[in-house]
Amino acid sequence: MRVALAVALVCLFVLAWQGIASLESVDDLTLASPVETFDALQDDWGLLMDNARVTLVEVVLGLALSVAAGVLFAVSMHLLRPLRDAAYPLLVGSQAIPIVVLAPLFVLAFGYGIGPKLAIVALICFFPITVNLLDGLRSTPPELLKLMRSMGASRLRTLRSVELPAALPSLFSGLKVAATVSVIGAVFGEWAGADEGLGRLVLLGNNQLQTPRVYAGIVILTLMAVGLFALTALAERVACPWNRKESLA
Amino acid sequence: MQTETEAPVTELLSFRKVTRRYGALTALAGIDLDLSAHAVTAMVGPSGCGKSTLLELVAGLQEPDEGIVDVLGATAAADRRQACAYMPQRDLLLPWRDALANAALALECQGVARSRARVRAVPLFERFGLTEFEHARPAALSGGMRQRVAFLRTLLQGRPVLLLDEPFGALDAITRADLREWLAAALADEPRTVLLVTHDVEEAVFLADRIVVLSPRPGRVVADFEVDLPRPRSVTSTAFAGLKARALEALKA
């Protein structure tokens, strides 16, 4: 039933899209219709897939980097109160930096390769991961910490046996947000300077007025984000079986 | 077969003029008590009389503002923690661990490897008839069953003193009565120095060798008497009712 509703809404959206695109007053160069987009998907399939693979690698590696950095940051900040107090403003500040401005500078510094893309994806993604995990680590009931202390548990034992497992669902919440924004990060990275990738293809298509190809690229980028989100949700179900509740995936 | 415990230095659990304040609020005022080892002492008092504070002082989770808490010779908080196993009111079982792993956590906290800890918890589950629940996660267990697992976790710590903070407080009346008998049998089987905090007078008379009644805040000892009834005790006997009335009377005063 839930799946049927979601599919129905997507169909409705595509129909509305087709309807608006078919209007006389809408320029074909502004809005490609679903049919045109679908044609572009078929015609340019090989090109799109080659570039999608590049972007997907950037996204997945960038995400992995952000998880590693996020877990390291969150756990250190949780264990060291002064570090948390000192680093929190910096952490929030890192999100206020306009990535669009920063991206070209990254390219200047690290060149046209995959480096700056990973850096940008990781910079965007590590924030939701760090903040959610930190919140999760701090939400352990005080009585439970008291019990662990009474049982003679070391700080590390409490972290390993109680706080980290309890914070796992929070980590996944952050990861879901990160998964969806990671694709945007990769596109920004490619816009700033790249030889390949879906972001670059979309930018190029835009300049060359190949509107259907741009929309085809957007569709694939969207599917990529949705797919990553669903994978994360699935991983959460496997990793936290005690915490199963009705979820989107 | 009994779980190993360390030999106590002295046979006494004593409070010497123990006072505990939280800011302007005095939770306990000059408590002076000597509790004998290998006996079950019940602390009864109205809500907010400092019962739980008293227990946490013994457990070494808090320090008194004045006076000395001596647990079988241990007076420093860290040493008191070594001597006591503390069972909080809520079972606090970890939802991602099965019953056996939850109990085994007590051993893991003492540095025993996880698999080894599990193995060592198995005999206790057998002895208390919980074998079929070993692999159940807490969510699949009833409230009474969860409390039993929490009690096994407390026993597994192998400490000479057991501190039970309203162990059945969160349970319904029928489960409470059931668990009370189960605990009485468990304690008969596993004699330890037990300090039980409760606001249920019947529970105290049923389980304890001695009952100490505390006044409302600031907590002071207002009554202190032995429960000299044969076990297993019957809640319907005249002697039982008499002792219950005596404790209730002290609570009202």
Side-chain angles (χ1 to χ4, degrees):
Chain A
M1 187 58 195
R2 281 185 311 144
V3 176
L5 278 175
V7 170
L9 193 62
V10 170
C11 290
L12 208 65
F13 171 76
V14 172
L15 275 176
W17 175 11
Q18 182 70 45
I20 293 168
S22 309
L23 291 176
E24 279 299 322
S25 53
V26 175
D27 189 343
D28 278 354
L29 289 178
T30 320
L31 184 63
S33 73
V35 173
E36 289 165 329
T37 305
F38 187 73
D39 284 343
L41 271 173
Q42 280 191 312
D43 296 344
D44 302 335
W45 185 250
L47 180 72
L48 286 165
M49 279 303 110
D50 286 345
N51 285 285
R53 206 167 297 126
V54 173
T55 305
L56 189 62
V57 168
E58 292 165 3
V59 166
V60 170
L61 288 183
L63 265 177
L65 209 62
S66 68
V67 170
V71 171
L72 192 73
F73 262 72
V75 171
S76 327
M77 284 169 81
H78 177 66
L79 289 179
L80 299 167
R81 181 72 200 266
L83 182 68
R84 183 170 83 221
D85 295 339
Y88 216 97
L90 206 63
L91 186 69
V92 177
S94 77
Q95 288 311 288
I97 305 168
I99 294 293
V100 198
V101 179
L102 202 64
L105 299 176
F106 272 36
V107 172
L108 264 179
F110 304 118
Y112 262 51
I114 196 172
K117 285 93 185 169
L118 296 191
I120 289 163
V121 172
L123 188 62
I124 295 183
C125 293
F126 101 104
F127 182 76
I129 291 173
T130 308
V131 170
N132 274 286
L133 181 56
L134 192 57
D135 277 353
L137 287 170
R138 292 179 67 186
S139 64
T140 313
E143 305 107 295
L144 193 49
L145 296 179
K146 201 188 281 176
L147 175 69
M148 289 302 282
R149 204 155 75 88
S150 80
M151 292 200 289
S154 64
R155 187 73 194 80
L156 226 54
R157 162 62 53 198
T158 304
L159 180 74
R160 236 181 73 191
S161 295
V162 175
E163 291 170 309
L164 272 178
L168 215 50
S170 304
L171 173 65
F172 276 108
S173 295
L175 201 53
K176 282 187 208 164
V177 176
T180 46
V181 296
S182 63
V183 178
I184 302 175
V187 169
F188 274 143
E190 290 174 11
W191 280 17
D195 302 324
E196 45 186 0
L198 265 188
R200 177 181 164 276
L201 193 72
V202 166
L203 187 67
L204 231 56
N206 218 353
N207 294 341
Q208 297 166 352
L209 302 179
Q210 292 166 314
T211 309
R213 184 184 288 175
V214 172
Y215 276 83
I218 293 173
V219 167
I220 294 176
L221 286 169
T222 307
L223 288 177
M224 213 182 267
V226 172
L228 282 170
F229 182 94
L231 264 179
T232 311
L234 188 73
E236 180 179 11
R237 280 178 68 90
V238 174
C240 320
W242 72 90
N243 197 47
R244 251 172 225 176
K245 43 185 185 237
E246 295 297 296
S247 67
L248 275 169
Chain B
M1 186 200 77
Q2 287 174 10
T3 315
E4 268 179 56
T5 59
E6 293 143 40
V9 181
T10 61
E11 295 285 300
L12 224 56
L13 205 158
S14 63
F15 300 84
R16 287 284 160 270
K17 300 200 182 341
V18 171
T19 297
R20 180 77 175 108
R21 297 184 199 90
Y22 299 105
L25 199 104
T26 305
L28 294 169
I31 301 283
D32 250 316
L33 262 181
D34 282 313
L35 307 177
S36 42
H38 310 300
V40 180
T41 307
M43 293 273 181
V44 186
S47 299
C49 71
K51 303 188 293 277
S52 292
T53 302
L54 198 86
L55 218 52
E56 290 189 7
L57 283 169
V58 177
L61 294 169
Q62 290 192 30
E63 283 287 32
D65 292 299
E66 285 162 34
I68 292 169
V69 182
D70 182 323
V71 183
L72 313 176
T75 50
D79 298 335
R80 277 183 275 144
R81 278 203 293 278
Q82 290 283 317
C84 299
Y86 165 75
M87 178 175 171
Q89 181 173 348
R90 285 173 55 204
D91 58 70
L92 297 175
L93 298 179
L94 303 176
W96 52 88
R97 285 180 171 231
D98 63 16
L100 194 61
N102 260 296
L105 183 65
L107 293 170
E108 287 175 54
C109 286
Q110 297 171 8
V112 179
R114 189 169 181 162
S115 53
R116 182 92 196 85
R118 273 184 80 96
V119 171
R120 277 175 56 183
V122 168
L124 211 58
F125 273 71
E126 281 168 6
R127 215 171 94 207
F128 288 98
L130 297 177
T131 303
E132 58 177 307
F133 301 103
E134 274 177 4
H135 302 294
R137 285 223 179 86
L141 296 173
S142 68
M145 211 46 88
R146 294 166 61 114
Q147 218 59 26
R148 283 175 169 90
V149 175
F151 182 71
L152 293 200
R153 179 182 60 198
T154 315
L155 273 188
L156 259 179
Q157 292 177 50
R159 315 284 202 204
V161 180
L162 297 185
L163 306 172
L164 313 178
D165 189 0
E166 307 240 14
F168 313 133
L171 302 174
D172 62 87
I174 296 168
T175 315
R176 273 181 94 103
D178 184 28
L179 223 57
R180 204 161 60 189
E181 296 201 7
W182 182 83
L183 184 64
L187 291 176
D189 195 35
E190 181 88 31
R192 304 265 183 110
T193 305
V194 179
L195 191 50
L196 166 78
V197 154
T198 178
H199 60 253
D200 182 339
V201 169
E202 192 173 288
E203 193 169 292
V205 179
F206 190 82
L207 289 167
D209 301 305
R210 178 178 169 191
I211 294 178
V212 175
V213 182
L214 294 177
S215 67
R217 198 159 41 219
R220 287 174 220 277
V221 177
V222 289
D224 185 348
F225 54 90
E226 306 284 324
V227 182
D228 203 9
L229 297 177
R231 295 173 202 259
R233 291 170 181 164
S234 154
V235 289
T236 47
S237 76
T238 327
F240 193 100
L243 282 167
K244 204 176 137 185
R246 190 170 162 193
L248 282 171
E249 207 55 49
L251 267 175
K252 263 184 247 159

